[in-house]
Amino acid sequence: MIGLTTKQLLKLRLTHTQDEKERRELTRLMNRNTLMEAYSRIETPETETQARLPGIEGKLYFRLMVQIIKNPENEHLLAFFVTRNIDEQKTREELVTRLLDVNYSTVLLIHAGSGKIKFGHDKNSETFTTDIDQTYDEIAWKILRDSVEPEKQEQIRREICLATIKEKLKNRDHYSGRVETHRNGKLIYRIWNAAYFDADKELILMMTEDATESYQRDLENNRKLAEALEKAEKASQAKNDFLSRMSHDMRTPMNAILGMTYLAEEDEAKGMPTTTYISQIKDSSQYLLGIINDMLEMSRIESGKFTFTPDWHRLSDLVMPVIRMLEPMMAEKKLNFEIDGERLENLNIEFYVDEQKLRQIMMNILNNACKFTPEGGTVSFRFGHVSVDAEHGISTDQLIIQDTGCGMSQEFLAHIFQPFEQERLPGMENISGTGLGLSIAYNIVRQMGGDIAVTSEMGKGSTFTITHPHPYRFIDDDTSTEKKENVLDTAKILSGKKVLLTEDNEINAMIAAKILENKGIKVQLAHNGQEAVDIFTEAPKGTFDMILMDIRMPVMDGLEAAKQIRTIDRPDAKIIPIVAMSANAFEEDRQLSIQAGMNEHLSKPVEPEILYQTILKYVSLTEKK
């Protein structure tokens, strides 16, 4: 280069530089005026360029610096042009910039033409390698032979060879895939990604990453998604099965009710008796109500809105009402209904339990025993004592219900308490039910801290043992004799009593009024809560013996009406019994009624006998006060 003018040197450099911007910068830097100005400012001009050199593949990065000094002999300025190869440094810098936001284990920079590796970096060992002798395909094949199962090697080699990569990159920005390898006996999943590194497409950047953890996470997430999907599908199917079953079970009694109503109307028009039809309509209505109650109960259990309202009760007071309700059913089927009645009546102990829930458990299981025991069979009900914790006042007792019915298979017993489960046995096809009764009973007992054990044998019968702990206390013999000594005529007591009936539905009002009037009760009707408040406020003190209050009504609901009545400045407003009669059947609805100042909450449809006993209970208490 010695002896060349700046123009001649510039011409030589430009022959190796293709980038137009770099060519302009070289021309500016090697201009005589530029150099003179740099000398006057005491600067060292420099620039970076990429150049192609003969015999070398690809372009290399160079840094050109100009050192200007004055010749002391003749005062001429001398310019020394110094060229440094900075290709490795620049390549690393560009790689770092490209890979800042990329996860990778290994990086290779490959010459697209020859397949030689210009640059390599292993992130784990932090090693950098340049100008590797072996080609990319040679190294890749060696790795495959050492870490991939033999039967998969050739297929993977074809997928990741340089020829395939270049072919794939013709129509896309990058080409990627996943390969399974083995290291130290462990399965390793590696992801590879290839893309052109430069605009001229002379270098290919190949990155690999150990994706074992992320792949296993993906597998686990996919497994969970599959399980969730399966559960959702099962839940959807269960919902469809439930709706189908409920539709069938509800339509059956509805069909009977409509059919019997039609036949009763026909026979009445002919002057024929309709008593049988009315009885069958009543039975179907009771069955339909049972289905609705079971559905509501399961809804409460599944939603977690299941609450208990315990109080002190004698065992006989808990059990005997259930017995009396079931005795007609047992007698109709000619079943022997064996009850340890004497022991129940003479047990002078009170238990702190939820009366309604415990009765529901007994009713559900005894009802099944009656349904699945053939004519002439036996259903027995016994009370058993397990243990007592006198220090804490806790008694653990058992209710044992046994039948000589058809029994159940061992396979069915394994899931007997699941909702909607019913074992279809020969000869039992006509026995109706939702399959919810035992599930409800089991959930109640479990939430009471108890358990239900079942033993059964096909053709011989079943035994249900309900074990539950509860607080207890002893009572005097004469504390429960009042009821026995005062067997009174309900009609005689209720006759002449006056009830303020608050009901917005005309049909419900007509039915309730007729039921009350059958016992000689005088009824005054209010069509909404505001009207009830006005009637009670304007009536003289002591006019009404009780208020029966619907909840959902226009103008003012029953809860607000009860609150306003309790705030009236009159003595009878504080003590008059207010009883809710509402289609709101949940426990939280009962609690709302009590909080509003009502004494009791009866769910519609209300059994006439239950209504009479409720009125009798509170009227008697009020008269004592």
Side-chain angles (χ1 to χ4, degrees):
M1 303 291 181
I2 297 174
L4 295 180
T5 65
T6 55
K7 288 185 178 181
Q8 290 172 328
L9 181 60
L10 174 62
K11 183 177 180 182
L12 179 62
R13 293 301 301 266
L14 290 178
T15 59
H16 301 297
T17 304
Q18 283 75 42
D19 185 81
E20 189 59 37
K21 183 179 178 181
E22 292 180 0
R23 289 170 66 89
R24 287 197 301 270
E25 179 61 18
L26 275 174
T27 301
R28 186 195 68 79
L29 179 68
M30 300 180 74
N31 180 273
R32 185 173 183 278
N33 292 332
T34 302
L35 295 174
M36 294 293 289
E37 289 176 9
Y39 177 77
S40 64
R41 292 195 298 268
I42 316 178
E43 293 178 352
T44 303
E46 65 177 53
T47 188
E48 294 179 358
T49 63
Q50 281 185 301
R52 296 182 184 275
L53 299 181
I56 297 178
E57 183 178 10
K59 292 184 289 187
L60 299 179
Y61 280 100
F62 292 95
R63 176 175 289 125
L64 175 63
M65 295 183 296
V66 184
Q67 185 71 42
I68 306 171
I69 63 174
K70 182 182 287 187
N71 189 334
E73 294 179 358
N74 55 20
E75 300 292 318
H76 290 172
L77 296 180
L78 299 176
F80 294 88
F81 291 86
V82 181
T83 303
R84 255 183 86 190
N85 184 342
I86 59 169
D87 190 65
E88 183 176 339
Q89 175 189 339
K90 290 292 292 184
T91 302
R92 287 191 186 187
E93 290 175 358
E94 286 196 27
L95 279 173
V96 169
T97 303
R98 291 276 293 270
L99 303 177
L100 276 177
D101 299 322
V102 178
N103 291 323
Y104 68 94
S105 301
T106 304
V107 172
L108 297 175
L109 203 55
I110 308 163
H111 286 291
S114 65
K116 290 183 178 180
I117 297 175
K118 177 178 180 179
F119 183 87
H121 174 50
D122 188 329
K123 191 175 184 179
N124 296 322
S125 62
E126 293 296 333
T127 58
F128 290 86
T129 308
T130 58
D131 297 325
I132 301 171
D133 292 335
Q134 292 175 299
T135 65
Y136 162 76
D137 284 341
E138 290 171 342
I139 293 176
W141 180 234
K142 182 180 183 302
I143 294 173
L144 289 178
R145 288 200 307 268
D146 293 341
S147 60
V148 175
E149 296 173 356
E151 61 271 18
K152 296 181 180 179
Q153 291 175 4
E154 182 57 30
Q155 176 190 344
I156 297 174
R157 187 192 68 79
R158 289 196 300 268
E159 291 177 358
I160 66 172
C161 71
L162 186 60
T164 301
I165 292 174
K166 290 196 290 184
E167 183 64 30
K168 297 292 184 180
L169 291 179
K170 286 181 179 179
N171 302 314
R172 62 183 76 174
D173 294 333
H174 66 92
Y175 172 50
S176 61
R178 178 177 61 84
V179 61
E180 297 179 6
T181 64
H182 294 80
R183 185 173 61 209
N184 299 327
K186 293 183 179 179
L187 182 62
I188 306 295
Y189 294 93
R190 301 191 72 84
I191 294 175
W192 52 267
N193 198 332
Y196 279 113
F197 184 69
D198 58 335
D200 295 330
K201 297 186 177 181
E202 294 180 348
L203 294 172
I204 294 175
L205 178 64
M206 167 65 83
M207 296 177 291
T208 68
E209 176 193 356
D210 185 341
T212 304
E213 289 187 9
S214 61
Y215 182 70
Q216 288 175 342
R217 283 196 301 269
D218 290 342
L219 287 178
E220 179 64 16
N221 290 336
N222 289 339
R223 184 188 64 78
K224 290 179 179 179
L225 286 173
E227 287 181 356
L229 178 60
E230 184 180 2
K231 287 181 181 179
E233 289 175 346
K234 286 182 178 179
S236 178
Q237 184 60 46
K239 179 181 178 181
N240 291 336
D241 292 344
F242 168 76
L243 293 174
S244 175
R245 189 192 298 265
M246 288 300 100
S247 176
H248 173 270
D249 286 352
M250 295 179 76
R251 286 175 184 274
T252 299
M254 280 302 301
N255 181 64
I257 292 169
L258 294 173
M260 293 299 171
T261 302
Y262 171 77
L263 294 176
E265 289 174 343
E266 290 288 305
D267 284 4
E268 185 180 30
K270 298 175 184 177
M272 299 171 63
T274 59
T275 305
T276 301
Y277 298 136
I278 293 173
S279 176
Q280 291 173 338
I281 289 172
K282 181 180 178 182
D283 290 342
S284 297
S285 299
Q286 290 289 350
Y287 176 64
L288 182 59
L289 178 60
I291 292 174
I292 295 171
N293 287 337
D294 283 350
M295 291 169 61
L296 292 175
E297 199 70 17
M298 280 306 300
S299 175
R300 280 197 290 263
I301 291 170
E302 292 177 352
S303 66
K305 297 180 179 179
F306 200 68
T307 57
F308 290 92
T309 53
D311 204 349
W312 292 103
H313 301 281
R314 280 174 57 92
L315 185 61
S316 59
D317 294 338
L318 295 168
V319 173
M320 295 313 295
V322 176
I323 301 302
R324 285 193 289 270
M325 280 190 284
L326 286 168
E327 278 178 334
M329 293 173 55
M330 302 286 185
E332 186 179 352
K333 286 193 69 175
K334 299 187 172 89
L335 300 178
N336 301 312
F337 195 16
E338 298 176 354
I339 311 150
D340 193 1
E342 184 177 352
R343 184 180 180 190
L344 294 175
E345 291 289 348
N346 295 329
L347 194 64
N348 295 319
I349 298 176
E350 284 186 337
F351 300 109
Y352 192 67
V353 295
D354 186 312
E355 176 185 21
Q356 181 183 357
K357 297 291 191 298
L358 191 59
R359 284 182 180 175
Q360 188 174 9
I361 295 166
M362 294 184 287
M363 193 71 183
N364 286 356
I365 297 176
L366 281 168
N367 187 51
N368 277 353
C370 178
K371 285 196 297 184
F372 292 100
T373 300
E375 185 174 319
T378 299
V379 176
S380 66
F381 183 89
R382 303 192 311 276
F383 174 77
H385 178 66
V386 179
S387 63
V388 63
D389 180 355
E391 181 180 355
H392 298 96
I394 302 295
S395 176
T396 300
D397 300 289
Q398 291 180 333
L399 299 173
I400 304 165
I401 299 169
Q402 189 172 15
D403 65 65
T404 59
C406 60
M408 294 170 283
S409 67
Q410 296 304 306
E411 293 78 12
F412 179 70
L413 287 179
H415 47 87
I416 185 175
F417 295 121
Q418 293 180 10
F420 312 116
E421 290 294 333
Q422 291 177 301
E423 187 168 35
R424 301 298 181 182
L425 299 173
M428 301 293 172
E429 295 86 356
N430 295 325
I431 295 179
S432 59
T434 62
L436 293 174
L438 287 179
S439 180
I440 292 170
Y442 178 76
N443 277 280
I444 294 174
V445 172
R446 295 291 291 177
Q447 294 199 41
M448 288 169 57
D451 199 7
I452 301 181
V454 188
T455 59
S456 187
E457 188 174 348
M458 295 289 289
K460 293 188 177 180
S462 306
T463 302
F464 287 79
T465 303
I466 306 159
T467 305
H468 55 110
H470 39 241
Y472 74 96
R473 69 183 182 186
F474 290 102
I475 56 175
D476 296 332
D477 289 345
D478 57 353
T479 57
S480 60
T481 58
E482 183 179 351
K483 190 184 293 185
K484 296 180 182 178
E485 295 172 355
N486 294 282
V487 181
L488 301 170
D489 185 348
T490 303
K492 184 177 179 181
I493 298 174
L494 297 182
S495 180
K497 302 298 180 185
K498 190 166 185 180
V499 170
L500 175 56
L501 174 63
T502 311
E503 173 63 67
D504 65 308
N505 185 282
E506 291 186 11
I507 295 178
N508 288 344
M510 178 193 70
I511 293 172
K514 187 63 178 176
I515 290 173
L516 295 170
E517 289 166 354
N518 284 343
K519 294 296 183 182
I521 298 172
K522 297 177 182 178
V523 180
Q524 182 165 350
L525 180 64
H527 296 90
N528 58 65
Q530 184 62 62
E531 193 173 326
V533 174
D534 295 341
I535 291 174
F536 183 83
T537 303
E538 295 168 6
K541 172 187 172 183
T543 299
F544 299 104
D545 298 288
M546 175 174 279
I547 299 174
L548 295 177
M549 185 76 72
D550 188 18
I551 300 298
R552 295 189 181 183
M553 295 180 292
V555 185
M556 181 185 292
D557 64 47
L559 297 175
E560 182 60 30
K563 291 176 184 177
Q564 291 199 16
I565 289 172
R566 292 300 188 207
T567 60
I568 297 173
D569 189 17
R570 243 170 54 182
D572 60 337
K574 306 295 187 294
I575 64 171
I576 185 170
I578 306 177
V579 176
M581 282 203 315
S582 171
N584 297 351
F586 289 118
E587 174 60 27
E588 49 267 35
D589 297 319
R590 193 190 77 82
Q591 291 293 339
L592 288 173
S593 297
I594 301 303
Q595 291 168 12
M598 301 194 205
N599 302 80
E600 189 69 78
H601 182 104
L602 301 178
S603 298
K604 294 177 181 177
V606 179
E607 287 282 348
E609 193 57 40
I610 293 176
L611 178 58
Y612 296 146
Q613 291 300 322
T614 302
I615 298 173
L616 185 63
K617 170 184 173 182
Y618 286 104
V619 166
S620 300
L621 289 173
T622 305
E623 289 177 348
K624 287 181 182 180
K625 292 179 182 179

